[in-house]
Amino acid sequence: MREKSGNSAWFLGPNPIVHSWFKILTMCVFLGILIVWGIDGLNVSSFHNDFVVLKLDTRQTLPFKDFNFRNLSAQHKMENHEQIDLNLSNQILAKTHENVDLVGNETRNVSLLSPGVSANSSKNLNEVNTSSSPRIMSWISSVLEANYSSNLLAKWLTPGGEPCKDSRSMDIRVDSLDGNNNNNVELLAGEMHEFVFQAVDEAGEPHCLGGDYFETDLSGEKWKSRPPVKDLGNGTYAFSLQVHPDFAGDYNLTIILLFRHYEGLKFSPSRFALDRVLRVIPIKFVRSSSSQLPEIRQCRRSDYTRDVWSGRWTRHARNISCPISHDGRYRCQKPSFPCQQPWCDGPLGVLESNGWVYSAHCSFKLYSSQEAWSCLNKRWIFWWGDSNHCDTIRNILHFILDVPDIPSVPRLFDMNITNPRNASQTVRFTSIFNGHWNHTGNYQGLNSLINENYRDMLKAYFSQDVVPDTVIMNSGLHDGIYWSTIRNFIKGADYAASFWAEVVEGVRRRGLRPPEILYRTTVATGGYARSMAFNPHKMEAFNGVVLDKLRQYGLLDRVIDDFDMTYPWHFDNRCNDGVHYGRAPLKAKWRDGQIGHQYFVDLMLGHVLINALCVRSV
């Protein structure tokens, strides 16, 4: 005990050696605290930049951690015969990949693009964001090129003279997708993934001139869209893929070379059509909590100023035992079956699409009969276009306004229509065929305006004390057959725009409110018609020319992109007869020997048109 007491006294007593070591220890602790505070104040991002990461080949992948995600979408209750087609239960992100490249002492993610294309010009294809807060992404969008008509003509006239320009495209090279050994490509849902591919000739050598027309399709069980393709003018083409996280799953990306070097714009393009399927690439879109897309809101007036849309069809229900009725209709859900927000608003069942609905940069309301009548009451809508207008008017009358006693709409149609349930509500529809100045003829298109009597007939509707409040127009498929060259069509479109500018100015000079001009782009012809004189290559170009000319004359108030709306369904004749998407329901075999679902794509157009007519200003 004494020994222990003695040792304790040595430590606690006034020993100068102990006090010196204690002072040194205290100073070390103090300095340590200062160092910790300094490190805590460092910028974490700059800290990471000081580390060197091993550079990987862009085709190599690194395994990443598996994640579980919650279902973020509400599901509707279905009756026994209805089956929700959205598998939005908890999912496991099985495996994703991160590609890194070294730039100096800084690491960055890179896109899997073709050689010679900078990764900085593209969004990352397989980027994984490990930050705690999700990144807000942007939706795919397209724009109409400035001076579209003159630029299209210049590209069409671009001379050759070099072997790579005079060669013929036969295939493509997509380095970032072709080297996957037939395994599924995995991409993050929500992200915008941009790819560039190179057109090559029969020998596999690069073709270095633009003008090829590629059809693209991204399809899954719950999503159908057209990935927009941008012609870079040198034999390379860029396209973008994007799927909302709610629709993560398995997809096929299909790329078809339909025409080479503007041959679809020729007077008789059928003999030039290649129509070769170049790629069918399986792609798995996987959910991630690292990014999210802005919620699509219902369309407002300003949303109809876009000349080109990049929409998609999404499926929110499926009745797998839905037979076609004897009257040719697909009543797969009850009319009151609701839309799923934010993809549409209202009763999805009225579309009779077995769960499919279209949305673009904004979503659309599906109207009940009562709502549509309240909107259109006392309006005068003037239609000027091809026979697809006749289909759309009939479908609006039958399916939306609930006026079934008008079995068909002829090429010349002018009628005050009364609500059968409320005699005080009326709407006037006037439709003038523009495929020929004689409504029994065909294949004149905008050239119909060359006829003086035809021009006078049109002007007469705008020369009274009361004039139409809205004009819905399109150039139509007949233009694809009449105009021999793109140069001639540009002149014809300019004349048509100048004619309508004169009509509108005449109304304004008389002190009346001029009608709003709503341009509805021409459909993407389907199936067998994809290689004919009104093929999608030509009609897409013609749509751009007319929009360009209407803009030049200050006429265009709103745009409905029916080309984008019909494109996902144009590869065969399941939803069209080649040139119409709105034929009256009929239980009959089509040219391929099957019964098609003939009317729901055009019925969607009818609802979109009423959205544009009744849209809020804010």
Side-chain angles (χ1 to χ4, degrees), residues 443-455:
Y443 310 138
Q444 288 292 310
L446 296 182
N447 193 57
S448 301
L449 291 170
I450 199 173
N451 183 277
E452 183 178 3
N453 292 332
Y454 182 76
R455 295 197 305 272

Side-chain angles (χ1 to χ4, degrees), residues 496-516:
S498 66
F499 167 79
W500 282 105
E502 179 185 347
V503 170
V504 171
E505 182 58 28
V507 174
R508 185 179 287 112
R509 283 198 302 265
R510 298 194 341 263
L512 300 176
R513 180 177 179 179
E516 289 190 313

Side-chain angles (χ1 to χ4, degrees), residues 33 50 74 101 127 133 153 220 223 242 247 253 255 339 388 392 432 537 549 561 564 580 584 592 609:
I33 293 173
D50 293 332
D101 193 12
E127 183 179 355
S133 59
L153 185 60
W223 178 290
Q242 188 177 45
F247 298 89
L253 168 66
I255 303 175
C339 283
N388 279 282
T392 303
I432 305 298
H537 188 188
K549 293 302 179 181
D561 194 353
D564 184 70
H580 299 90
D592 59 3
L609 287 170

Side-chain angles (χ1 to χ4, degrees), residues 106-358:
E106 181 181 357
T107 62
R108 64 180 174 87
N109 292 314
V110 299
S111 301
L112 302 179
L113 297 174
S114 297
V117 180
S118 171
N120 289 331
S121 65
S122 170
K123 298 284 186 183
N124 177 38
L125 302 185
N126 293 316
E127 183 179 355
V128 178
N129 186 344
T130 57
S131 63
S132 57
S133 59
R135 293 178 300 126
I136 304 298
M137 310 303 296
S138 59
W139 284 97
I140 284 178
S141 62
S142 301
V143 296
L144 185 70
E145 181 182 4
N147 302 313
Y148 180 89
S149 302
S150 57
N151 288 337
L152 175 63
L153 185 60
K155 294 173 185 176
W156 179 56
L157 297 174
T158 300
E162 301 175 33
C164 69
K165 291 183 177 180
D166 294 333
S167 64
R168 304 272 287 168
S169 299
M170 293 296 291
D171 203 346
I172 58 174
R173 188 174 67 235
V174 199
D175 292 344
S176 54
L177 296 177
D178 290 342
N180 289 279
N181 299 321
N182 296 322
N183 294 324
N184 279 3
V185 177
E186 288 191 359
L187 301 175
L188 292 182
E191 301 274 356
M192 188 188 305
H193 307 285
E194 297 180 355
F195 296 84
V196 172
F197 63 82
Q198 172 72 59
V200 298
D201 61 19
E202 194 169 11
E205 295 298 320
H207 177 70
C208 60
L209 197 60
D212 297 335
Y213 190 76
F214 295 92
E215 295 177 316
T216 55
D217 178 66
L218 183 65
S219 291
E221 291 295 323
K222 303 166 289 186
W223 178 290
K224 285 181 67 67
S225 65
R226 175 203 188 188
V229 178
K230 181 175 178 58
D231 185 349
L232 303 180
N234 59 359
T236 60
Y237 300 81
F239 69 95
S240 302
L241 302 179
Q242 188 177 45
V243 167
H244 191 279
D246 285 356
F247 298 89
D250 295 326
Y251 287 78
N252 279 330
L253 168 66
T254 303
I255 303 175
I256 299 171
L257 177 54
L258 186 59
F259 288 103
R260 277 92 53 98
H261 193 61
Y262 299 109
E263 289 177 341
L265 307 186
K266 291 182 177 292
F267 182 63
S268 300
S270 298
R271 65 184 186 275
F272 300 105
L274 185 64
D275 198 8
R276 173 178 290 184
V277 179
L278 304 181
R279 296 291 187 279
V280 180
I281 302 172
I283 296 179
K284 180 183 288 294
F285 284 91
V286 291
R287 293 176 65 97
S288 170
S289 61
S290 64
S291 61
Q292 67 183 43
L293 284 165
E295 183 171 303
I296 296 176
R297 57 170 173 76
Q298 192 169 325
C299 294
R300 302 172 184 174
R301 182 176 294 270
S302 60
D303 291 313
Y304 295 97
T305 60
R306 293 199 187 192
D307 293 329
V308 184
W309 297 2
S310 296
R312 83 292 303 162
W313 287 81
T314 54
R315 194 171 203 172
H316 305 276
R318 185 186 180 192
N319 183 351
I320 58 177
S321 61
C322 174
I324 181 173
S325 61
H326 291 295
D327 58 0
R329 293 175 62 174
Y330 289 81
R331 298 177 178 89
C332 301
Q333 286 84 35
K334 289 185 176 181
S336 60
F337 181 80
C339 283
Q340 181 172 345
Q341 297 286 352
W343 306 102
C344 61
D345 178 60
L348 177 56
V350 300
L351 206 56
E352 299 190 9
S353 62
N354 205 358
W356 288 104
V357 69
Y358 175 83

Side-chain angles (χ1 to χ4, degrees), residues 382-401:
F382 189 91
W383 307 70
W384 186 67
D386 65 5
S387 57
N388 279 282
H389 271 348
C390 300
D391 296 339
T392 303
I393 295 171
R394 187 201 61 249
N395 287 332
I396 288 176
L397 293 175
H398 286 200
F399 289 95
I400 303 179
L401 296 180

